[in-house]
Amino acid sequence: MNVAQSPRGCAGPSRHGYLRATLTGSTLGPPSQAPNLSNLRATTVTCSLRHSLERPFWPQATDIPIIPPQAASQSLLPKSAGLQANMDLSKRDSMELPEADRAFLETHLPSSRSTSRPDLPFTTLTFATSLDSALALAPGTRTVLSGPQSKAMTHYLRSRHDGILIGVGTALADDPGLNCRIAGVGGYGGQGLEGQPRPVVIDPSARWDFSENSKLFQLCAQGQGRAPWIVTALQQLPADKAGLLEKYGGKYISLKMETNDSGRHHIDWHDLLVTLRRNGLRSIMVEGGAQVINSLLEPQSMSLVDSVIVTIAPTWLGQGGVVVSPARRRDSTGTPVAAARLTNIQWHPVGEDVVLCGQIKRDS
Ligand SMILES: NC(=O)c1ccc[n+]([C@@H]2O[C@H](COP(=O)([O-])OP(=O)(O)OC[C@H]3O[C@@H](n4cnc5c(N)ncnc54)[C@H](O)[C@@H]3O)[C@@H](O)[C@H]2O)c1
Ligand SMILES: Nc1nc(=O)c(N)c(NC[C@H](O)[C@H](O)[C@H](O)COP(=O)(O)O)[nH]1
């Protein structure tokens, strides 16, 4: 089977359009732990760099394992994974990212590229996706996509940014730690909280019912992470939650947000990023989920993104997942056009995944 697709798994901007597969010969190759497609000799997927709009045309993944078994124990992990077996238990949770797996990132990171706007943080959009552009099997379902090496890469990215931003949907689904577990950063053999990013959660109506038992606050208590800043549209804040945040050095940030007819909030990304910069965050990695990413990829916001680093796992999650797919865009004649395109592209195999780095093309 040989197909050309957009990062979200589409073969064309519309049923009658034709996606120009601008990458010849660059294929992901047969995923080493692909679902059992024994009737196919090889699966070659050529990923174009354009977000198209149509629903993915991949067949429903029904009778095939949707998540290949991860290496069940450390002893199965290749040494290069940085998660060697028999590690010193005091660093049990920490990871390492070999130099060979980090050098290619350098030109896409804040230190080597400062944002051209001093009032804004350097903003990196980074997430892990399936071959059909899904972040998770279903809303509210935390789904492991990254292999151990690209997971370590994500944690390395966290050590290189002042802040890490998610939406409340991710906080509710994952109970995430949102810290960095690279060996040598604060809490993992380093000083204080050096290298630990500030978690930022967009939660307009304060839906996140966090407590001392939330993973993030447990890490704070252990000196292995920072307390979150929660961005809300509320002026009156829940006192108990505000008290818990303050206890660990976090806070609510109230920001004016537009609401649509159904009462859904829509943050102004420029306002948010200026506010975070004013609070001292010089760089932010936006990790997801899909609603956060799709809104940041809207025409009026996408120019705020300085760098894109996407981990593509060799897995189809099938229809019904949480999909990254920006809103439809049309040209002046009303014809559907690609929503966004990357430029200055680099593809790097990391373990069984491939990592795509680039910048959003300005005339996207
Ligand atoms: N694979 C990955 O890299 C990755 C990363 C993050 C999350 N996830 C997964 O994605 C799922 C969560 O994604 P999701 O899309 O459901 O939720 P989300 O994390 O995008 O949060 C959605 C909520 O955040 C707020 N929000 C988001 N964008 C906003 C905007 N522009 N203005 C105002 N408020 C905004 C709203 O309250 C919205 O309901 C979970 O299953 C999680 O495990 C995967
Ligand atoms: N890079 C990446 N690969 C994945 O397979 C996956 N599921 C996520 N998901 C990101 C999301 O933001 C998760 O909530 C945090 O990754 C939680 O993980 P931590 O507890 O912070 O380590 N990210």
Side-chain angles (χ1 to χ4, degrees):
M1 172 167 74
N2 179 3
V3 291
Q5 66 161 49
S6 72
R8 66 150 305 217
C10 287
S14 72
R15 296 217 178 287
H16 310 295
Y18 173 70
L19 177 70
R20 186 166 55 87
T22 49
L23 274 177
T24 48
S26 320
T27 69
L28 295 177
S32 55
Q33 285 202 14
N36 173 17
L37 300 173
S38 53
N39 55 331
L40 294 170
R41 279 188 301 287
T43 307
T44 305
V45 176
T46 300
C47 244
S48 175
L49 317 176
R50 222 179 259 275
H51 265 291
S52 286
L53 305 164
E54 276 304 288
R55 294 171 55 75
F57 71 102
W58 293 115
Q60 174 82 20
T62 47
D63 58 350
I64 49 182
I66 41 181
I67 302 280
Q70 297 294 337
S73 78
Q74 290 181 353
S75 58
L76 296 181
L77 291 173
K79 284 276 175 277
S80 64
L83 295 177
Q84 284 84 2
N86 309 320
M87 279 175 81
D88 167 356
L89 285 184
S90 69
K91 298 195 185 105
R92 184 197 55 220
D93 291 342
S94 67
M95 312 173 197
E96 287 172 4
L97 186 69
E99 182 54 36
D101 283 345
R102 62 172 72 179
F104 75 91
L105 294 164
E106 202 49 45
T107 54
H108 301 278
L109 291 178
S111 52
S112 55
R113 286 181 46 241
S114 59
T115 172
S116 52
R117 301 152 297 200
D119 60 332
L120 286 168
F122 184 100
T123 301
T124 301
L125 174 56
T126 181
F127 54 94
T129 180
S130 65
L131 287 175
D132 41 4
S133 196
L135 300 183
L137 276 164
T141 307
R142 182 172 181 166
T143 307
V144 175
L145 284 164
S146 297
Q149 293 93 327
S150 48
K151 179 169 184 178
M153 180 201 76
T154 296
H155 276 261
Y156 173 69
L157 294 179
R158 293 180 178 183
S159 71
R160 297 291 302 269
H161 288 81
D162 288 349
I164 172 172
L165 185 147
I166 60 168
V168 62
T170 299
L172 294 172
D174 296 0
D175 186 24
L178 297 179
N179 71 336
C180 170
R181 301 203 291 273
I182 291 292
V185 301
Y188 295 87
Q191 295 301 316
L193 286 175
E194 200 180 287
Q196 288 299 345
R198 173 69 66 186
V200 178
V201 181
I202 302 179
D203 185 5
S205 312
R207 288 190 287 142
W208 185 23
D209 186 21
F210 54 84
S211 72
E212 301 262 9
N213 298 325
S214 303
K215 182 173 165 190
L216 202 152
F217 287 96
Q218 291 188 13
L219 290 167
C220 289
Q222 293 157 202
Q224 292 182 311
R226 296 180 193 274
W229 293 349
I230 300 179
V231 182
T232 175
L234 302 179
Q235 294 303 321
Q236 295 295 323
L237 302 170
D240 58 333
K241 295 283 181 280
L244 178 56
L245 279 174
E246 277 161 38
K247 174 181 171 184
Y248 287 104
K251 63 185 176 186
Y252 276 108
I253 295 177
S254 291
L255 209 55
K256 196 172 170 334
M257 295 184 206
E258 301 294 320
T259 51
N260 65 13
D261 302 344
S262 53
R264 200 187 178 103
H265 290 93
H266 197 280
I267 209 161
D268 178 307
W269 279 98
H270 184 269
D271 281 357
L272 172 59
L273 292 172
V274 163
T275 302
L276 295 178
R277 181 69 189 84
R278 276 203 199 114
N279 278 272
L281 300 186
R282 296 153 304 169
S283 55
I284 295 276
M285 62 188 274
V286 177
E287 256 206 27
Q291 291 177 57
V292 162
I293 297 169
N294 289 334
S295 75
L296 188 52
L297 288 176
E298 287 174 1
Q300 70 274 23
S301 309
M302 67 168 78
S303 63
L304 296 167
V305 177
D306 295 287
S307 198
V308 178
I309 301 175
V310 183
T311 298
I312 301 170
T315 301
W316 285 280
L317 292 185
Q319 292 176 9
V322 177
V323 169
V324 170
S325 175
R328 177 178 285 291
R329 284 182 74 180
R330 295 175 185 277
D331 66 16
S332 54
T333 68
T335 306
V337 293
R341 180 174 181 79
L342 296 178
T343 186
N344 298 339
I345 300 303
Q346 283 182 298
W347 295 84
H348 282 269
V350 177
E352 292 187 352
D353 306 324
V354 66
V355 174
L356 162 61
C357 302
Q359 283 94 48
I360 294 178
K361 210 161 173 224
R362 284 296 174 241
D363 61 0
S364 281

